[in-house]
């Protein structure tokens, strides 16, 4: 049951429904409170919801339950990062690397945490430069309006918007000082010898007091200055880098990978502000099977992209490409955890259907690998025999447990499914029993026990027509099977009982309620032809006799009689 809840949680997490994932993982934890993987998964779901306190609590529990599991420290580090506790995050990642020194997720997490811990404090004036309001204020003020026609000034202000901490680099420019005064509603002036004899030259900030300004004549608009050399040079570098990229793309299409790498590398040297050059080179390394080089380029693209605040889609693309390279390596190493973690990181940047598909494939490959490693028919037979012993002792929950283990050890054994279906029937878990019986038949269509198990479940569910069909199908493979013959006899008795109208009021009411939930019965009752037939049965006996000669109509009437909807007197 815990595995089913875990599977539902994993499915919800993969689809982005993190709240449902938390609910399912919680259900699984209630059933298996010592399973460290469940706490780890719930920690990841909490972190995706930005519930970092809860994520931290679950991560700590994961480490407590399994202190030698590296992934637990990865969860712990991620929770600390979410709480801006970069020192604690770095410590957690370091402990994880002591256990698994080659873990890429831990290495990346440690690098990010260390970088964040060492980052300088934000500039106190940074907020003044945020958003379109800055440009509106500078345009509205006559003292700064003219600056906006000067490309070098515009470039400086754009750089300050992207990186507020760079303000200190431009404070010597009087235009920036003037703009800062307008944005903060303060006035900067420089003392001179005339104003304060013997005083040091320094900027003084005075808060503007509300005054009545004299009407000033409109200032003449300054002529636009020519494009500065620096901006022109940057543009030329950009164009040159793009040409190198185009040549790299052409070489890549021709599968001339060495030439493609050469062009992409040149583009990176010319312009390091476009991470697409790096991700393209990573794609070439991937095609060449140089997976380590591909991963290095992808890590570099992610790091540089975050420094430049590049489009999150480009960062996600780099992470997805890294996941693909790790997936290729996992076919040899058999370690799919880094692959899954990398794809999950990519999805937090941008929810791309292709990345989600790759994540599902990696999770499926991991599950199949685990099943292959767990596969052992001999142990499966031992577990099935243990289940049989508990079944004889009427200890059905224990029997279910051993049959389940037998199925894990040998998923192709129809006997384990058949026996577990019998247990579920004894426990009244009819849907689970029906599912196991159908799986048994799917694995071996000639195995008569599968049909007797399925027919018994359907009989207990009072689906007598369906049970009859199941028993008859089983008899095609084993005509003399007494258990199947007895099943047919019991079904006939119940069906005839309904046909004769011998049902008690309670039985009739129950059967009618169940029949009305059957989609086939609903279709019969909404069929205009059948509605006319039913009307003729009551009011026009001659027409009714004619209808009865139609085998299809007769079959539908028989289903209505069996369900108690129609009663023959």
């Amino acid at each position: 049951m815990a595995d089913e809840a875990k599977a539902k949680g994993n499915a919800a997490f993969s689809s982005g429904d993190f709240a449902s994932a938390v609910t399912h993982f919680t259900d699984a934890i209630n059933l298996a409170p010592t399973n460290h993987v469940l706490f780890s998964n719930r920690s990841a779901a909490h972190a995706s919801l930005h519930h970092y306190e809860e994520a931290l609590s679950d991560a700590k529990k994961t480490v407590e339950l399994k202190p030698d599991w590296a992934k637990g420290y990865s969860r712990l580090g991620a929770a600390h990062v979410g709480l801006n506790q970069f020192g604690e995050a770095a410590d957690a990642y370091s402990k994880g690397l002591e256990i698994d020194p080659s873990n890429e997720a831990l290495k990346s997490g440690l690098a990010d945490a260390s970088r964040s811990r060492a980052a300088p404090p934000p500039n106190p004036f940074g907020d003044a430069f945020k958003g379109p309001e800055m440009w509106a204020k500078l345009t509205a003020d006559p003292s700064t309006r003219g600056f906006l026609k000067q490309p070098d000034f515009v470039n400086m202000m754009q750089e300050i918007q992207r990186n507020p901490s760079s303000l200190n680099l431009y404070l010597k420019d009087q235009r920036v000082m003037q703009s800062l005064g307008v944005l903060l509603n303060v006035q900067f002036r420089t003392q001179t010898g005339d104003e304060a004899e013997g005083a040091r030259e320094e900027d003084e900030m005075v808060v503007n007091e509300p005054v009545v300004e004299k009407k000033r004549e409109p200032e003449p608009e300054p002529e636009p200055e020519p494009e500065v050399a620096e901006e022109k040079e940057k543009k030329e570098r950009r164009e040159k880098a793009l040409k190198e990229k185009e040549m790299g793309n052409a070489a890549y299409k021709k599968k001339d990978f060495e030439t493609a790498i050469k062009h992409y590398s040149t583009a990176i040297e010319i312009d390091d502000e476009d991470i697409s050059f790096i991700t393209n080179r990573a794609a070439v390394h991937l095609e060449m099977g140089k997976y380590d080089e591909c991963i290095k380029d992808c890590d570099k693209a992610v790091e540089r992209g975050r420094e430049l605040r590049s489009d999150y889609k480009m960062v996600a693309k780099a992470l997805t490409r890294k996941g693909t390279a790790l997936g290729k390596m996992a076919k040899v190493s058999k370690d799919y955890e880094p692959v899954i973690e990398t794809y999950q990181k990519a999805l937090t940047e941008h929810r791309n259907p292709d990345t989600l598909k790759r994540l599902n494939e990696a999770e499926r490959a991991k599950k199949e690998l685990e099943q292959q490693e767990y596969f052992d028919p001999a142990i499966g037979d031992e577990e099935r025999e243990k289940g049989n012993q508990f079944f004889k002792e009427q200890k059905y929950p224990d029997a279910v447990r051993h049959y389940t283990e037998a199925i894990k050890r040998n998923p192709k054994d129809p006997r384990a499914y058949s026996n577990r279906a019998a247990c579920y029937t004894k426990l009244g878990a009819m849907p689970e029993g029906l599912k196991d019986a159908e799986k048994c038949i799917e694995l071996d269509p000639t195995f008569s026990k599968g049909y007797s198990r399925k027919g018994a479940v359907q009989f207990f569910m009072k689906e007598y027509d369906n049970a009859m069909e199941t028993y008859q199908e089983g008899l095609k493979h084993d005509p003399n099977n007494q258990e199947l013959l007895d099943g047919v006899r019991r079904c006939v008795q119940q069906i005839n009982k309904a046909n004769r109208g011998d049902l008690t009021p309670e039985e009739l009411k129950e059967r009618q309620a169940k029949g009305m939930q059957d989609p086939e019965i609903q279709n019969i009752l909404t069929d205009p032809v059948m509605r006319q037939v039913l009307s003729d049965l009551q009011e026009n006996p001659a027409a009714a006799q004619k209808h009865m000669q139609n085998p299809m109509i007769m079959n539908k009437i028989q289903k209505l009689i069996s369900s108690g909807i129609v009663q023959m007197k």
Side-chain angles (χ1 to χ4, degrees):
M1 297 301 178
D3 287 343
E4 291 181 10
K6 176 188 173 186
K8 290 178 181 178
N10 289 343
F13 187 95
S14 298
S15 66
D17 188 358
F18 304 121
S20 295
V22 168
T23 300
H24 291 306
F25 289 138
T26 301
D27 292 340
I29 287 170
N30 291 335
L31 294 167
T34 59
N35 189 327
H36 62 283
V37 176
L38 299 177
F39 284 98
S40 170
N41 290 4
R42 191 171 69 176
S43 176
H46 277 310
S48 299
L49 291 167
H50 306 295
H51 298 163
Y52 297 113
E53 290 289 354
E54 293 84 349
L56 181 61
S57 176
D58 277 348
K60 287 180 177 178
K61 186 65 177 178
T62 303
V63 172
E64 176 189 330
L65 291 171
K66 187 75 170 173
D68 60 344
W69 193 45
K71 189 170 183 180
Y73 295 95
S74 178
R75 300 295 192 212
L76 188 61
H80 280 304
V81 168
L83 294 169
N84 294 324
Q85 299 169 352
F86 302 114
E88 292 86 341
D91 292 341
Y93 289 127
S94 298
K95 288 179 181 178
L97 286 169
E98 290 175 7
I99 298 169
D100 185 3
S102 62
N103 189 297
E104 291 296 331
L106 289 168
K107 288 180 182 178
S108 176
L110 178 59
D112 290 343
S114 301
R115 201 161 41 246
S116 299
R117 180 166 56 175
N123 191 293
F125 299 124
D127 289 343
F129 296 91
K130 288 185 177 179
E133 294 84 359
M134 179 192 81
W135 302 104
K137 288 184 179 180
L138 295 179
T139 303
D141 194 283
S143 65
T144 56
R145 186 184 304 135
F147 299 159
L148 300 178
K149 295 182 179 277
Q150 301 171 16
D152 63 325
F153 172 77
V154 173
N155 289 335
M156 282 191 291
M157 298 304 287
Q158 288 175 340
E159 174 60 25
I160 294 170
Q161 273 199 321
R162 285 194 298 270
N163 183 13
S165 62
S166 66
L167 174 62
N168 298 328
L169 302 176
Y170 301 109
L171 285 177
K172 292 182 180 179
D173 192 305
Q174 290 301 315
R175 293 171 299 174
V176 175
M177 289 294 295
Q178 180 69 28
S179 299
L180 180 59
V182 170
L183 295 174
L184 297 177
N185 195 31
V186 298
Q187 181 179 3
F188 292 104
R189 60 184 175 86
T190 304
Q191 290 182 332
T192 65
D194 295 335
E195 293 174 312
E197 186 176 352
R200 292 180 299 122
E201 287 189 2
E202 60 181 7
D203 288 335
E204 178 185 0
M205 186 173 71
V206 182
V207 178
N208 283 340
E209 297 292 338
V211 295
V212 179
E213 293 188 3
K214 294 181 179 180
K215 186 174 182 181
R216 292 186 293 180
E217 294 295 326
E219 297 180 0
E221 295 289 339
E223 293 295 325
E225 294 184 1
E227 186 175 47
V228 295
E230 182 182 351
E231 181 66 21
K232 185 177 180 181
E233 183 183 352
K234 183 177 179 181
K235 184 177 180 181
E236 290 175 352
R237 284 202 313 270
R238 173 70 176 163
E239 291 175 353
K240 188 176 179 182
L242 287 174
K243 287 181 180 178
E244 290 289 340
K245 178 183 176 182
E246 290 173 3
M247 289 189 285
N249 292 345
Y252 178 81
K253 291 177 181 178
K254 295 177 182 178
K255 297 191 179 298
D256 185 359
F257 298 135
E258 293 295 343
T259 302
I261 287 177
K262 180 181 177 182
H263 286 300
Y264 290 138
S265 299
T266 303
I268 294 168
E269 291 173 5
I270 296 172
D271 182 5
D272 67 345
E273 294 187 358
D274 187 338
I275 66 171
S276 70
F277 306 151
I278 308 175
T279 57
N280 282 16
R281 188 172 69 180
V284 181
H285 286 311
L286 183 64
E287 285 291 325
M288 297 175 72
K290 297 181 177 179
Y291 303 128
D292 288 328
E293 294 299 320
C294 175
I295 291 169
K296 287 179 183 177
D297 270 352
C298 291
D299 286 338
K300 181 179 179 181
V302 171
E303 181 179 356
R304 187 64 178 138
R306 286 175 176 158
E307 289 174 0
L308 296 169
R309 300 186 182 180
S310 301
D311 186 350
Y312 55 85
K313 292 181 181 179
M314 289 300 298
V315 175
K317 185 176 183 180
L319 286 167
T320 299
R321 190 151 289 162
K322 177 182 177 181
T324 303
L326 288 169
K328 299 285 187 181
M329 297 170 71
K331 292 180 179 179
V332 178
S333 67
K334 308 300 182 185
D335 183 10
Y336 284 93
E337 278 295 331
V339 186
I340 293 170
E341 280 202 26
T342 303
Y343 283 141
Q344 288 174 341
K345 280 187 176 181
L347 288 170
T348 60
E349 295 288 342
H350 173 57
R351 196 145 197 88
N352 182 284
D354 179 62
T355 305
L356 182 59
K357 179 183 176 183
R358 291 171 187 265
L359 172 62
N360 292 334
E361 289 173 352
E363 290 176 336
R364 185 163 55 250
K366 179 188 174 188
K367 185 177 180 181
E368 289 174 356
L369 179 64
E370 289 173 347
Q371 289 176 344
Q372 290 172 9
E373 292 174 347
Y374 207 67
F375 181 80
D376 192 328
I379 296 178
D381 289 341
E382 292 175 7
E383 290 294 328
R384 181 166 48 78
E385 287 301 324
K386 291 178 183 178
N388 292 344
Q389 187 59 41
F390 279 114
F391 187 89
K392 291 175 184 177
E393 297 172 4
Q394 298 184 2
K395 296 179 180 179
Y396 303 121
D398 291 326
V400 167
R401 179 163 52 83
H402 286 289
Y403 289 141
T404 300
E405 182 63 21
I407 289 170
K408 289 180 181 178
R409 292 292 183 176
N410 186 4
K412 300 298 183 181
D413 184 2
R415 296 170 297 176
Y417 284 102
S418 171
N419 292 2
R420 193 171 68 172
C423 276
Y424 280 137
T425 305
K426 293 290 186 181
L427 292 168
M430 299 305 170
E432 291 83 356
L434 182 61
K435 183 178 178 182
D436 272 359
E438 289 175 340
K439 183 66 177 179
C440 174
I441 295 171
E442 176 189 330
L443 292 172
D444 186 357
T446 65
F447 188 45
S448 58
K449 273 288 184 184
Y451 296 98
S452 62
R453 301 297 189 208
K454 182 178 178 181
V457 172
Q458 292 170 325
F459 187 89
F460 280 116
M461 296 172 70
K462 299 186 179 180
E463 298 176 358
Y464 303 119
D465 288 321
N466 293 336
M468 171 77 84
E469 291 177 6
T470 300
Y471 287 131
Q472 289 173 340
E473 186 66 27
L475 286 169
K476 292 179 183 178
H477 303 286
D478 189 359
N480 300 317
N481 187 289
Q482 192 59 47
E483 194 172 0
L484 294 172
L485 291 170
D486 290 342
V488 170
R489 179 179 50 78
R490 290 194 303 271
C491 290
V492 169
Q493 287 175 350
Q494 290 296 325
I495 293 171
N496 288 340
K497 189 177 179 181
N499 292 344
R500 293 193 304 267
D502 292 342
L503 297 174
T504 65
E506 292 76 15
E507 289 176 331
L508 178 61
K509 186 175 181 181
E510 182 182 354
R511 187 170 296 193
Q512 288 174 338
K514 194 169 188 65
M516 291 303 293
Q517 295 175 1
D518 187 339
E520 187 177 3
I521 298 296
Q522 293 173 5
N523 290 335
I524 293 172
L525 293 175
T526 55
D527 183 352
V529 174
M530 286 304 300
R531 290 170 66 178
Q532 182 60 47
V533 170
L534 294 174
S535 177
D536 288 342
L537 284 173
Q538 290 181 313
E539 301 172 2
N540 190 343
Q545 288 295 325
K546 188 176 180 180
H547 291 316
M548 292 299 184
Q549 296 174 8
N550 186 326
M552 187 177 296
I553 290 177
M554 189 61 193
N555 184 47
K556 291 181 179 180
I557 291 174
Q558 185 60 50
K559 287 186 179 295
L560 293 177
I561 293 172
S562 298
S563 65
I565 304 299
V566 171
Q567 300 177 60
M568 304 299 290
K569 299 294 185 180

